Amino acid sequence: LKDGMSAHFECRVTPTNDPKLKVEWKFNGQPMPNSSRIKTVSDFGFVMLDIAGTDSKDSGEYICTATNKFGSDTTRAILRCEGSGGVFYDSIHPESLSKIKSLEIDERAA
C-alpha cells in the first residue's frame, strides 16, 4: 500500500456462538498498539482489523489468533506500506515560501 491508504483484514471463525471464544490480533508478534487509526471487530464469527492512514511503520506481520476450550488457530498476513511518511518539507505553494522569506528579511532589517 501507499502511505495514507487504508488496510483491511478479515477472517471467519467457528463456532460463532461460543461465548468463551477469544480473538487476539498481534503486530510483529506483539499485542496491537492502541491507536485511533486501528479498529477491530469480532462479532458472530466475523473478525476484522482496519487500519486507517497507513504509513511505513505499519509494515509487518499481522496475526489473528482465535482460542476456545478446544484449542487455537492462527492466520497471518504481511502488510507492506511505502511512500513518503513523516513530515513533508515540500511546499505545495512554492511562491508563498519565497514571499515568507522576503517578509522575514524585511522584518530583520527594520
Side-chain angles (χ1 to χ4, degrees):
L1 293 176
K2 295 287 184 190
D3 282 359
M5 297 178 79
S6 295
H8 176 82
F9 303 96
E10 64 181 63
C11 58
R12 300 250 179 218
V13 296
T14 56
T16 60
N17 60 350
D18 183 350
K20 297 198 178 193
L21 180 69
K22 179 183 172 192
V23 175
E24 181 180 33
W25 286 94
K26 290 189 175 183
F27 173 59
N28 291 331
Q30 301 297 316
M32 287 291 297
N34 291 328
S35 171
S36 60
R37 299 181 309 111
I38 299 171
K39 178 183 176 185
T40 60
V41 172
S42 179
D43 206 10
F44 300 106
F46 177 75
V47 179
M48 176 191 79
L49 168 68
D50 281 329
I51 305 170
T54 61
D55 67 23
S56 56
K57 72 177 182 283
D58 297 314
S59 294
E61 182 180 47
Y62 289 82
I63 304 164
C64 179
T65 303
T67 306
N68 67 8
K69 65 181 179 180
F70 299 107
S72 66
D73 199 5
T74 300
T75 187
R76 302 165 186 268
I78 301 291
L79 177 64
R80 290 190 181 94
C81 301
E82 56 186 39
S84 52
V87 177
F88 293 100
Y89 292 102
D90 296 332
S91 173
I92 57 172
H93 299 288
E95 63 280 357
S96 298
L97 187 57
S98 64
K99 179 66 176 169
I100 290 170
K101 286 181 181 178
S102 70
L103 289 171
E104 287 175 345
I105 291 171
D106 291 345
E107 187 178 283
R108 284 187 220 134

